[in-house]
Amino acid sequence: MNKNLLDTIKKLSDVEGFKDVCHQQNENNPMPSVEVLSEIVQLIRAILFPGYFGNAAVNSKTMLYHIGVNVDKLHALLFMQIKAGLCFETTKESVACSEIDRVSKEKASEFVSLLPSIREKLHTDVVAAYNGDPAAKSFGEVIFCYPSIRAISNYRIANALLHLGVPLIPRIITEMAHSETGIDIHPGATIGDYFTIDHGTGVVIGETAIIGKNVKMYQGVTLGAKSFPLDADGNPIKGIARHPRIGNDVVIYSNSTILGTITVGDGAVIGGNIWVDSDVAPGAKLVQRK
Amino acid sequence: MNKNLLDTIKKLSDVEGFKDVCHQQNENNPMPSVEVLSEIVQLIRAILFPGYFGNAAVNSKTMLYHIGVNVDKLHALLFMQIKAGLCFETTKESVACSEIDRVSKEKASEFVSLLPSIREKLHTDVVAAYNGDPAAKSFGEVIFCYPSIRAISNYRIANALLHLGVPLIPRIITEMAHSETGIDIHPGATIGDYFTIDHGTGVVIGETAIIGKNVKMYQGVTLGAKSFPLDADGNPIKGIARHPRIGNDVVIYSNSTILGTITVGDGAVIGGNIWVDSDVAPGAKLVQRK
Amino acid sequence: MNKNLLDTIKKLSDVEGFKDVCHQQNENNPMPSVEVLSEIVQLIRAILFPGYFGNAAVNSKTMLYHIGVNVDKLHALLFMQIKAGLCFETTKESVACSEIDRVSKEKASEFVSLLPSIREKLHTDVVAAYNGDPAAKSFGEVIFCYPSIRAISNYRIANALLHLGVPLIPRIITEMAHSETGIDIHPGATIGDYFTIDHGTGVVIGETAIIGKNVKMYQGVTLGAKSFPLDADGNPIKGIARHPRIGNDVVIYSNSTILGTITVGDGAVIGGNIWVDSDVAPGAKLVQRK
Amino acid sequence: MNKNLLDTIKKLSDVEGFKDVCHQQNENNPMPSVEVLSEIVQLIRAILFPGYFGNAAVNSKTMLYHIGVNVDKLHALLFMQIKAGLCFETTKESVACSEIDRVSKEKASEFVSLLPSIREKLHTDVVAAYNGDPAAKSFGEVIFCYPSIRAISNYRIANALLHLGVPLIPRIITEMAHSETGIDIHPGATIGDYFTIDHGTGVVIGETAIIGKNVKMYQGVTLGAKSFPLDADGNPIKGIARHPRIGNDVVIYSNSTILGTITVGDGAVIGGNIWVDSDVAPGAKLVQRK
Amino acid sequence: MNKNLLDTIKKLSDVEGFKDVCHQQNENNPMPSVEVLSEIVQLIRAILFPGYFGNAAVNSKTMLYHIGVNVDKLHALLFMQIKAGLCFETTKESVACSEIDRVSKEKASEFVSLLPSIREKLHTDVVAAYNGDPAAKSFGEVIFCYPSIRAISNYRIANALLHLGVPLIPRIITEMAHSETGIDIHPGATIGDYFTIDHGTGVVIGETAIIGKNVKMYQGVTLGAKSFPLDADGNPIKGIARHPRIGNDVVIYSNSTILGTITVGDGAVIGGNIWVDSDVAPGAKLVQRK
Amino acid sequence: MNKNLLDTIKKLSDVEGFKDVCHQQNENNPMPSVEVLSEIVQLIRAILFPGYFGNAAVNSKTMLYHIGVNVDKLHALLFMQIKAGLCFETTKESVACSEIDRVSKEKASEFVSLLPSIREKLHTDVVAAYNGDPAAKSFGEVIFCYPSIRAISNYRIANALLHLGVPLIPRIITEMAHSETGIDIHPGATIGDYFTIDHGTGVVIGETAIIGKNVKMYQGVTLGAKSFPLDADGNPIKGIARHPRIGNDVVIYSNSTILGTITVGDGAVIGGNIWVDSDVAPGAKLVQRK
């Protein structure tokens, strides 16, 4: 180890240098863990789609045991990650440790009670994917192989956690799916039943987007913000509505971009490679000009 | 564990609730495994590109041993995954276990005998990638680092398995490459020699697409279906031709979308960000209008 | 093992068959390893963003120890990978082993001494991502979850290694980020401070692109080559400038394609889904025609 | 790879050379696996001593789920290992695959039904260890830390499997404990309730030994064979009784050796470092002569 | 899953059946972990014998960093295991969580401050092993390979923890060494400097044994209890002195057994395979009678 | 991290404190690795007992490939460990790196060429174990389960390496078996064919012991040194003969101790728990006096 390395170590350890890029977790509190969150998502998939994920030999006689153990593990792991999310955001020492524990346990328990309805919603998404893709051979193939089911599962889990007031964790869960599938759905988006995305790479669905029932989209579709108002300091104002509202039974073909707080009416069809920044009437069919 | 969790466990274990989203594998039959299929793809890469993948110290004196062991392992693993694919699709108990074993072993053996010709094809793809990219420094860099080689390898493997009548497994193999590279090639597509994709994220090549020799495409290119005929129940008819036929020596620039059962003639050049849904004459050069 | 398999093993072991697709590493030299390079990137992230990555319990009292150990490990691992990169490219046996060792160790040490300035640059990128995204809740969320920070980190690391004359390794590092995030930045590109990419999937930034300060881009943006001159044999001439030069304070919206050695002036705004292949004036605002 | 290595490879691959030391498993049959058997022993410990082994958070509300899942997994793994044991011993191809499957599954199921009585027996062993060791602080410490409990658990499992007619597997299970604890109990030995071994390293209990209730022994005690009758070829006759029969309430101190088909009467005490090869009367106290 | 299995699951889940063999950890409290304790022992070895264990490239320039990080990790892991030990023994809910945290952290910190003196003691043990074994080639070989050093290290660590009032954990640590080496030293024993054990398998040193300086023993030596007083219920009284006191400069040859609260005087030599249950005069030489 | 920890870190990092217990490996040289040596032993077992260890599906058609690959890997790993052993012992910088490389590679190659004769010897040991144990069911059970075969295999490997002049590595290999089986055979011992040890825990065979053909011993047998001459400084003189010479066809029963440079004649039988320190005539039968 030469002088150069020793000098660099000193520079990198200088408080002035690292203070803005260093995280100060309160001692003994857990950090969110991508590995554990990935395990959590796998447990949820094993609960929601038994036989496909987790123990493949599960059947109606042993279902109770497997669901019971998976829910037990899920609750324990999720409690810790929710706590980790709350601690990550909390800078003040003032919140009592026991209070965070109680709240985290409650939120984990509430999330578990939402699993039956999440399963129902995902069931509709599987139906939509199968019906909408001539290449799909069976429900099983869709559940087991289709990246869109993985991305929508993570979104529906993350969305439920966000509505329970869990910080950070929802975003990590959707980013995991983003990395695996190229589909980037913000946990804050609102998406109806029977939702399907074909191929999916490059899809972006923004934080305040609202999507109706039975909507289908293809790869590269963006539901984005057109522009966003700045505050007095010239920085974007956080959290206000800035994404499209999509009606029921809408189809959006590949690589089209729909921007701003516009409304796309029920039954509209948006062709591929189109830029849309104003309202689209119900039943309208937009195609790229030649 | 509070009452809430116990109640949710009961709900989730109710047969009515899970019957549509639960897989019933015949007991003792293997399930397809993404981990094992990933190992299979790595074994094939070690066989096809020795020295780059697998044992780096292989040389002409020890090649026979390493190829022998890798083929032996590949055959054993592939046999089980082919069997898993066949069992996944088979709902009837009537097929005799010994019959599935025999068929799976045969198909695994046939696949192995196709490896020399797969290697020849992939060699042409490496040549095309090297020649077509001014940033490429050597064949080695292309084989070792380029995502397109990974995606095309998985496609050529999956395509061979599909033609041997193996269900499900081919799709899992191409989805693995899709996740890693953002390139989504359906195993059913037909693709000639000297094929190359630059950058690649967002490329989609549909099930019935046919691509000639020496074709090059860039990121975001879609060879998709324009629309598909519905059956009496309003569902898409599965398996009929619905994607483009691309000739030899064609170049398709980034983010262009080519749709439907059209033909793009030999030597045509399709510019970037273009929407094409009618035939393109041989040698034609399409560019986006300003 | 039937005759078919034995025959295939022989075919695959035939020197004529594998000579063009087989790598011949000089015995005892290390091969580049994606696993080790991934560990290297994680070590660098633990050094640059302490508390977020690596040991979460690090604090100002223990910072020196953790930085010291991480730098020590990084130097040792990087030395071996730099040597592996140099050996991969070197076909001649003539370079003395001790010489490669000396050079590799020097380059590893020089890279370490660049870490403080890489940290400063990445700090500006974090600020830009936070300020530019209304959905961003805190610096911490940006550092911990945003794929763009991961992709830009890998790029800045790879770019530093490339300027130190390290072959192959930089490309592997940016391809790792490409696979995880869908963002493909060539290590040779030149990118100023305060750079940010929103969503990011499908972004391509070419080898000779030059990007100013405070530039923001969205998913699917390409900074590509329009065409490239061929040499006497009809092959592309390697290494010459062929990508755009982007000024300061430029915004490029989603899925736009900017091609060739053109200049986009300071403060310009390029709308989404646009194809640009000629210079853009400073302050200009390009939008897609309706 | 030099000529020396190539020649050695050829020698080692010569059929004459390896035929006596090479195992020929019928293709596709599983081999016994020490790793899986170790997992099986851990599952059994989690079933028999819940809260100490396996999931520590198990409680009376969730016990059913955890026992259910562990029994389900145990049955599946044990079935395969029993089958592996049967195949290992079977040299003839004539036994139908389906017959071995049926028998193995039956034996695995029978073993599971013995678990409640194995738990009862082990409970008595824990009581004996606690009562007999002044250094023992609690039942919990005994179950969690004492090597004798580990060795006796493995023995009681192995003994049950042996009585079900499972070959090879029982021996592997007791050898696992032998390696961990230095206590070598042959699966064929017969051992009563409330059995305890203190320290234990070097204890050997032979195949045909019979031990009563409430027996305690210390490290280094051997219950061995004195000599064994030879058959016509001068080889030992396999399987006949050749080890001691120990009564109830006997204590045997460290490093004593008890040999042959003798009887040690109820309540006898054998001092340390003693060699015993004739019957010991009930209540007798043997000590080493000075 | 047949009726047999379902019935067994019910039986095993019956509260009456498992209540005596089931551990009830207070929810959210950690359980002691053999894996983590093994990691702790490895960290301590890396701190005490740098260069041999842990990072081999440590040198005087980087020592501070490596010691700093290892101590930091050790303290964090040890804190949790000490807490786990305290929780394991505590049945009452009444101890406040924050109080256990404070106490555990204090004990972990106190243990760390004992490391320099533990290192000094172990150094004397290494010297004794090297001097006493004609087969020993170097200090390095002794530290790196000799099982006695491993067993004595674990004992000295466990003994220090025991004196700090940590329950259970010390016993687990000595049992880890017992399993690896066959040497069973109770954490409560008192052992002077320059202690060495040759070969070691079967050595047993009891809870209240006291050993002077510069003592050497061989394999199979027992320092045990002769008998122990029973309480009114006929159970052994826990915790009273019942093992030998060995003076300085004593040698005890293989497989000898020394029992009860006797004294072996300074400089005595006990031959092999001897049973000793009365005082031995200083300088005496006991040999087995022929 | 409190003041106490910081102070302890300083103390532990003080050069005076660690200089005697710290290993200084020349930078970039490998350290011996117990993990790699364990892998090496497993490779050798897969080569010597194919079908039992390593790939179970090996058969006469694929034997050449598997032996070839295993020998190739073995040679590469062993080369590095031999080099590590040589570097561990070498304190002077003066030995040229290329010279150590050459010597290590030669020794690794010579060791490989000894494998056929090691296999022959081990075959005789298997025969002896099977013939000598009435509980042994088959050669397969002996090879797959018997700890004595594991201990003798490691010894025969270590002995061959020792005779090739490899330092340290042989001792680590026999200590690995010592830990697993409780059998401690020094690599320097000389042991004839058809050697078997029953049960084995506690067996010790010293560095200069010489054992004839067809010798059998039981658990707890010691072939030790009686005393050893001291040099002028009072330290044992290293490396001189100090252990027994055992003839052919000798049986030694459990826990007996044979000490010093005595000779036990051909065909002698030593009973259990006996202390022997003078010559034993050929054919003599020693038993413990009552």
Side-chain angles (χ1 to χ4, degrees), chain A residues 48-51 56 63 109 112-113 119 123 130-131 133-136 146-147 180 199 201 219 272-273 288 290, chain B residues 2 4-5 8 12 18 20-23 31 171 175 178-179 184 204 207 222 236 238 255 257 275 277 289:
Chain A
L48 298 184
F49 299 118
M63 187 64 74
S109 175
V112 167
S113 68
R119 188 166 67 182
H123 184 205
Y130 175 76
N131 285 343
D133 181 4
Y146 274 43
E180 277 183 272
H199 309 298
T201 310
Q219 68 273 18
N273 279 32
Q288 205 190 38
K290 293 281 163 177
Chain B
N2 57 30
N4 176 21
L5 294 183
T8 306
L12 288 165
F18 68 69
D20 287 341
V21 289
C22 173
H23 181 61
M31 270 289 281
R171 179 66 186 259
E175 284 297 346
H178 184 191
S179 177
D184 179 0
V204 173
E207 187 181 17
T222 293
K238 308 251 160 183
N255 297 316
T257 306
W275 176 270
D277 59 0
R289 278 187 317 159

Coordinates of all heavy atoms in Angstrom, one line a residue, chain A residues 48-51 56 63 109 112-113 119 123 130-131 133-136 146-147 180 199 201 219 272-273 288 290, chain B residues 2 4-5 8 12 18 20-23 31 171 175 178-179 184 204 207 222 236 238 255 257 275 277 289:
Chain A
L48 N -49.8 -16.2 -3.9 CA -50.8 -15.9 -4.8 C -51.0 -16.9 -6.0 O -52.1 -17.1 -6.5 CB -50.5 -14.5 -5.4 CG -50.5 -13.3 -4.4 CD1 -50.3 -12.0 -5.1 CD2 -51.8 -13.3 -3.5
F49 N -49.9 -17.4 -6.4 CA -49.9 -18.4 -7.5 C -49.3 -19.7 -7.0 O -48.2 -20.2 -7.6 CB -49.1 -17.9 -8.7 CG -49.6 -16.6 -9.3 CD1 -48.9 -15.4 -9.3 CD2 -50.9 -16.5 -9.8 CE1 -49.3 -14.2 -9.8 CE2 -51.4 -15.3 -10.4 CZ -50.6 -14.2 -10.3
P50 N -49.9 -20.4 -6.1 CA -49.3 -21.6 -5.5 C -49.1 -22.7 -6.6 O -50.0 -22.8 -7.5 CB -50.3 -22.1 -4.5 CG -51.6 -21.4 -4.8 CD -51.2 -20.1 -5.5
G51 N -48.1 -23.4 -6.5 CA -47.8 -24.5 -7.5 C -46.9 -24.0 -8.6 O -46.0 -24.7 -9.1
A56 N -43.6 -26.6 -5.4 CA -44.4 -27.0 -6.6 C -45.3 -28.1 -6.2 O -46.3 -28.4 -7.0 CB -43.5 -27.4 -7.8
M63 N -52.5 -27.3 1.1 CA -52.5 -25.8 0.9 C -52.5 -25.0 2.2 O -51.7 -24.0 2.3 CB -53.7 -25.5 0.1 CG -53.8 -24.0 -0.4 SD -52.5 -23.6 -1.6 CE -53.0 -24.5 -3.1
S109 N -49.5 -6.4 9.0 CA -50.7 -7.2 9.1 C -51.8 -6.7 8.2 O -52.5 -7.5 7.6 CB -51.2 -7.1 10.6 OG -52.4 -7.8 10.8
V112 N -51.1 -8.0 4.7 CA -51.5 -9.4 4.5 C -52.9 -9.6 4.3 O -53.4 -10.3 3.4 CB -51.0 -10.2 5.8 CG1 -51.7 -11.6 5.7 CG2 -49.5 -10.3 5.8
S113 N -53.8 -8.8 5.0 CA -55.2 -8.9 4.8 C -55.7 -8.4 3.4 O -56.8 -8.7 3.0 CB -56.0 -8.2 5.9 OG -55.8 -6.8 5.8
R119 N -54.9 -10.9 -5.1 CA -54.9 -12.1 -6.0 C -56.1 -12.1 -7.0 O -55.9 -12.4 -8.1 CB -55.1 -13.4 -5.1 CG -55.0 -14.7 -5.9 CD -54.8 -15.9 -5.0 NE -56.0 -16.2 -4.2 CZ -56.1 -17.2 -3.3 NH1 -55.1 -18.0 -3.1 NH2 -57.2 -17.3 -2.7
H123 N -55.5 -12.1 -11.0 CA -56.2 -13.1 -11.8 C -56.8 -12.4 -13.1 O -56.7 -13.0 -14.2 CB -57.3 -13.8 -11.0 CG -58.0 -14.9 -11.7 ND1 -59.3 -15.3 -11.4 CD2 -57.6 -15.6 -12.7 CE1 -59.6 -16.3 -12.2 NE2 -58.6 -16.5 -13.0
Y130 N -53.6 -13.5 -21.4 CA -53.9 -14.7 -22.2 C -54.8 -14.4 -23.4 O -54.5 -14.7 -24.5 CB -54.5 -15.8 -21.4 CG -54.9 -17.0 -22.2 CD1 -53.9 -17.9 -22.6 CD2 -56.2 -17.2 -22.5 CE1 -54.3 -19.0 -23.4 CE2 -56.6 -18.3 -23.3 CZ -55.6 -19.2 -23.7 OH -55.9 -20.3 -24.5
N131 N -55.9 -13.7 -23.1 CA -56.8 -13.3 -24.2 C -56.2 -12.4 -25.3 O -56.5 -12.5 -26.4 CB -58.1 -12.7 -23.7 CG -58.9 -13.7 -23.0 OD1 -58.8 -14.9 -23.2 ND2 -59.8 -13.2 -22.1
D133 N -53.0 -12.1 -26.3 CA -51.8 -12.5 -27.0 C -52.0 -13.8 -27.8 O -52.1 -14.9 -27.2 CB -50.7 -12.7 -26.0 CG -49.3 -13.0 -26.7 OD1 -49.3 -13.1 -27.9 OD2 -48.3 -13.2 -26.0
P134 N -52.0 -13.7 -29.1 CA -52.2 -15.0 -29.9 C -51.1 -16.0 -29.7 O -51.3 -17.2 -29.9 CB -52.2 -14.5 -31.3 CG -52.4 -13.0 -31.3 CD -51.9 -12.6 -29.9
A135 N -49.9 -15.5 -29.1 CA -48.8 -16.5 -28.9 C -48.9 -17.2 -27.6 O -48.2 -18.1 -27.3 CB -47.5 -15.7 -29.0
A136 N -49.9 -16.7 -26.7 CA -50.0 -17.4 -25.4 C -50.6 -18.7 -25.5 O -51.7 -18.9 -26.1 CB -50.8 -16.5 -24.5
Y146 N -44.5 -14.7 -18.3 CA -44.6 -13.4 -18.9 C -44.1 -12.3 -18.0 O -44.5 -12.1 -16.9 CB -46.1 -13.2 -19.2 CG -46.5 -13.7 -20.5 CD1 -46.1 -15.0 -21.0 CD2 -47.3 -13.0 -21.4 CE1 -46.5 -15.5 -22.2 CE2 -47.7 -13.5 -22.6 CZ -47.3 -14.7 -23.0 OH -47.6 -15.2 -24.3
P147 N -43.2 -11.5 -18.5 CA -42.6 -10.4 -17.7 C -43.7 -9.4 -17.3 O -43.6 -8.8 -16.2 CB -41.6 -9.7 -18.7 CG -41.9 -10.2 -20.0 CD -42.6 -11.5 -19.9
E180 N -35.8 -6.0 -14.0 CA -36.0 -7.3 -14.6 C -36.7 -7.3 -16.0 O -36.4 -8.1 -16.9 CB -36.8 -8.2 -13.7 CG -36.1 -8.9 -12.6 CD -37.1 -9.8 -11.8 OE1 -37.7 -9.2 -10.9 OE2 -37.2 -10.9 -12.2
H199 N -44.9 -7.5 -24.3 CA -43.4 -7.3 -24.5 C -42.9 -6.3 -23.4 O -42.1 -6.7 -22.6 CB -43.1 -6.7 -25.8 CG -43.7 -7.6 -26.9 ND1 -43.3 -8.9 -27.1 CD2 -44.6 -7.3 -27.9 CE1 -44.0 -9.4 -28.1 NE2 -44.8 -8.5 -28.6
T201 N -40.8 -3.8 -22.7 CA -39.6 -3.0 -22.4 C -39.8 -1.6 -22.8 O -40.3 -1.2 -23.8 CB -38.4 -3.6 -23.3 OG1 -38.4 -5.0 -23.1 CG2 -37.1 -3.0 -22.9
Q219 N -45.0 -2.4 -25.8 CA -43.6 -1.9 -25.4 C -43.4 -0.4 -25.7 O -44.0 0.1 -26.7 CB -42.6 -2.8 -26.0 CG -42.4 -2.6 -27.6 CD -43.3 -3.5 -28.4 OE1 -44.3 -4.0 -27.8 NE2 -43.0 -3.7 -29.6
G272 N -49.2 3.2 -32.9 CA -47.8 3.2 -32.4 C -47.0 4.5 -32.8 O -47.4 5.2 -33.7
N273 N -45.9 4.8 -32.0 CA -45.0 5.9 -32.3 C -45.7 7.2 -32.4 O -45.3 8.1 -33.2 CB -44.3 5.6 -33.6 CG -43.1 4.7 -33.4 OD1 -43.2 3.8 -32.6 ND2 -42.0 4.9 -34.2
Q288 N -50.5 7.2 -36.8 CA -49.4 8.1 -37.2 C -49.7 8.5 -38.6 O -50.1 7.7 -39.5 CB -48.1 7.3 -37.1 CG -46.9 8.3 -37.0 CD -45.6 7.5 -37.2 OE1 -45.5 6.7 -38.0 NE2 -44.6 7.9 -36.4
K290 N -48.9 9.3 -42.4 CA -47.8 8.8 -43.3 C -47.0 10.0 -43.8 O -47.6 11.0 -44.2 CB -48.5 8.1 -44.5 CG -49.2 6.9 -44.1 CD -48.2 5.8 -43.9 CE -48.8 4.6 -43.1 NZ -47.8 3.5 -43.0
Chain B
N2 N -52.0 -12.6 14.9 CA -53.3 -12.2 15.3 C -54.5 -12.8 14.5 O -54.2 -13.5 13.5 CB -53.4 -10.6 15.3 CG -53.1 -10.1 14.0 OD1 -53.4 -10.8 13.0 ND2 -52.5 -8.9 13.9
N4 N -56.5 -11.4 12.5 CA -56.4 -11.0 11.1 C -55.6 -11.9 10.2 O -56.1 -12.3 9.1 CB -55.8 -9.6 11.1 CG -55.7 -9.0 9.7 OD1 -56.3 -9.5 8.8 ND2 -54.8 -8.1 9.6
L5 N -54.4 -12.3 10.7 CA -53.6 -13.1 9.9 C -54.2 -14.5 9.7 O -54.2 -15.1 8.6 CB -52.2 -13.3 10.5 CG -51.3 -12.0 10.5 CD1 -50.0 -12.3 11.1 CD2 -51.2 -11.4 9.1
T8 N -56.9 -14.4 7.2 CA -56.5 -14.3 5.8 C -55.9 -15.6 5.3 O -56.1 -16.0 4.2 CB -55.4 -13.2 5.8 OG1 -55.9 -12.0 6.4 CG2 -55.0 -13.0 4.4
L12 N -57.1 -17.5 2.0 CA -56.2 -17.8 0.9 C -56.2 -19.3 0.6 O -55.8 -19.7 -0.5 CB -54.8 -17.2 1.2 CG -54.7 -15.7 1.2 CD1 -53.4 -15.3 1.8 CD2 -54.6 -15.2 -0.3
F18 N -58.3 -20.2 -4.9 CA -57.1 -20.4 -5.6 C -57.1 -21.3 -6.8 O -56.2 -21.4 -7.6 CB -56.0 -21.0 -4.6 CG -56.2 -22.4 -4.1 CD1 -56.1 -23.5 -4.9 CD2 -56.5 -22.5 -2.7 CE1 -56.2 -24.8 -4.4 CE2 -56.7 -23.8 -2.2 CZ -56.5 -24.9 -3.0
D20 N -58.1 -21.2 -9.8 CA -57.8 -20.7 -11.1 C -56.3 -20.2 -11.2 O -55.8 -19.9 -12.3 CB -58.7 -19.5 -11.5 CG -60.1 -20.0 -11.8 OD1 -60.2 -21.2 -12.1 OD2 -61.0 -19.2 -11.8
V21 N -55.7 -20.0 -10.1 CA -54.3 -19.4 -10.2 C -53.3 -20.4 -9.6 O -52.2 -20.0 -9.3 CB -54.2 -18.1 -9.4 CG1 -54.9 -17.0 -10.2 CG2 -54.8 -18.2 -8.0
C22 N -53.7 -21.7 -9.4 CA -52.8 -22.7 -8.8 C -52.5 -23.7 -9.8 O -53.3 -24.2 -10.6 CB -53.5 -23.3 -7.6 SG -52.6 -24.7 -6.9
H23 N -51.2 -24.1 -9.8 CA -50.7 -25.1 -10.8 C -50.8 -26.5 -10.1 O -50.3 -26.7 -9.0 CB -49.3 -24.8 -11.2 CG -48.8 -25.8 -12.2 ND1 -49.4 -26.0 -13.4 CD2 -47.7 -26.6 -12.1 CE1 -48.7 -26.9 -14.1 NE2 -47.7 -27.3 -13.3
M31 N -40.7 -29.7 -12.1 CA -41.2 -28.4 -12.6 C -40.1 -27.8 -13.4 O -38.9 -28.0 -13.0 CB -41.5 -27.5 -11.4 CG -42.9 -27.6 -10.9 SD -44.2 -26.9 -12.1 CE -44.0 -25.1 -11.8
R171 N -39.6 -20.6 -24.5 CA -40.0 -19.2 -24.1 C -39.3 -18.8 -22.9 O -38.9 -17.6 -22.8 CB -41.6 -19.3 -23.9 CG -42.1 -17.9 -23.4 CD -42.0 -16.9 -24.5 NE -42.4 -15.6 -24.1 CZ -43.6 -15.0 -24.3 NH1 -44.5 -15.7 -25.1 NH2 -43.9 -13.8 -23.9
E175 N -37.0 -15.4 -22.7 CA -37.4 -14.4 -21.6 C -36.2 -14.1 -20.7 O -36.0 -13.0 -20.2 CB -38.6 -14.8 -20.8 CG -39.9 -14.7 -21.5 CD -40.3 -13.2 -21.9 OE1 -39.6 -12.3 -21.4 OE2 -41.2 -13.0 -22.8
H178 N -34.3 -11.7 -22.6 CA -35.1 -10.4 -22.6 C -34.9 -9.7 -21.4 O -34.6 -8.4 -21.4 CB -36.6 -10.8 -22.7 CG -37.6 -9.6 -22.9 ND1 -38.9 -9.7 -22.7 CD2 -37.3 -8.3 -23.0 CE1 -39.5 -8.6 -22.9 NE2 -38.5 -7.7 -23.0
S179 N -34.9 -10.3 -20.2 CA -34.7 -9.7 -19.0 C -33.2 -9.1 -18.9 O -33.0 -8.0 -18.4 CB -34.9 -10.7 -17.8 OG -34.6 -10.1 -16.6
D184 N -36.3 -8.8 -27.0 CA -37.4 -9.8 -26.9 C -37.6 -10.5 -28.2 O -38.3 -10.0 -29.1 CB -38.6 -9.1 -26.4 CG -39.8 -10.0 -26.2 OD1 -39.7 -11.2 -26.5 OD2 -40.9 -9.5 -25.8
V204 N -38.2 -5.9 -30.3 CA -39.2 -7.0 -30.2 C -39.4 -7.6 -31.6 O -39.6 -7.0 -32.6 CB -40.6 -6.4 -29.8 CG1 -41.7 -7.4 -29.9 CG2 -40.5 -5.8 -28.4
E207 N -43.5 -13.7 -33.1 CA -43.5 -15.2 -33.3 C -43.4 -15.7 -34.8 O -42.7 -16.6 -35.0 CB -44.8 -15.8 -32.7 CG -44.9 -17.3 -32.7 CD -46.2 -17.8 -32.1 OE1 -47.2 -17.0 -32.1 OE2 -46.3 -18.9 -31.7
T222 N -39.3 -2.7 -33.6 CA -40.3 -3.7 -33.4 C -40.7 -4.4 -34.7 O -41.0 -3.7 -35.7 CB -41.6 -3.1 -32.8 OG1 -41.3 -2.6 -31.5 CG2 -42.8 -4.0 -32.8
P236 N -58.5 -13.7 -30.0 CA -57.5 -13.8 -31.1 C -57.3 -15.3 -31.5 O -57.2 -16.1 -30.6 CB -56.2 -13.3 -30.5 CG -56.5 -12.6 -29.2 CD -57.8 -13.1 -28.8
K238 N -55.1 -18.2 -32.4 CA -53.7 -18.4 -32.0 C -52.9 -19.0 -33.2 O -53.4 -19.8 -34.0 CB -53.6 -19.4 -30.9 CG -54.5 -19.0 -29.7 CD -53.7 -18.6 -28.5 CE -54.5 -17.8 -27.5 NZ -53.8 -17.2 -26.4
N255 N -35.7 2.4 -33.1 CA -37.1 2.7 -32.7 C -38.1 2.7 -33.8 O -39.2 3.3 -33.6 CB -37.1 4.1 -32.0 CG -36.3 4.1 -30.7 OD1 -36.4 3.2 -29.9 ND2 -35.4 5.1 -30.5
T257 N -40.9 0.8 -36.2 CA -41.9 -0.2 -36.0 C -42.4 -0.7 -37.3 O -42.9 0.1 -38.1 CB -43.0 0.5 -35.2 OG1 -42.5 1.1 -34.0 CG2 -44.1 -0.6 -34.8
W275 N -42.7 4.3 -38.7 CA -43.9 3.4 -38.6 C -44.1 2.8 -40.0 O -44.5 3.6 -40.9 CB -45.1 4.2 -38.1 CG -46.4 3.4 -38.0 CD1 -47.3 3.3 -38.9 CD2 -46.8 2.8 -36.8 NE1 -48.4 2.6 -38.4 CE2 -48.1 2.3 -37.2 CE3 -46.3 2.5 -35.6 CZ2 -48.9 1.5 -36.2 CZ3 -47.1 1.8 -34.7 CH2 -48.3 1.3 -35.0
D277 N -46.2 0.0 -42.3 CA -47.2 -1.1 -42.3 C -47.6 -1.5 -43.7 O -48.7 -2.1 -43.9 CB -48.4 -0.7 -41.4 CG -49.1 0.5 -41.9 OD1 -48.6 1.1 -42.9 OD2 -50.1 0.9 -41.2
R289 N -40.0 11.8 -42.3 CA -40.2 13.1 -42.9 C -39.9 14.2 -41.8 O -40.2 14.0 -40.7 CB -41.7 13.3 -43.3 CG -42.0 12.7 -44.7 CD -43.4 13.0 -45.1 NE -44.3 12.9 -43.9 CZ -45.4 13.5 -43.8 NH1 -45.9 14.3 -44.8 NH2 -46.2 13.3 -42.8

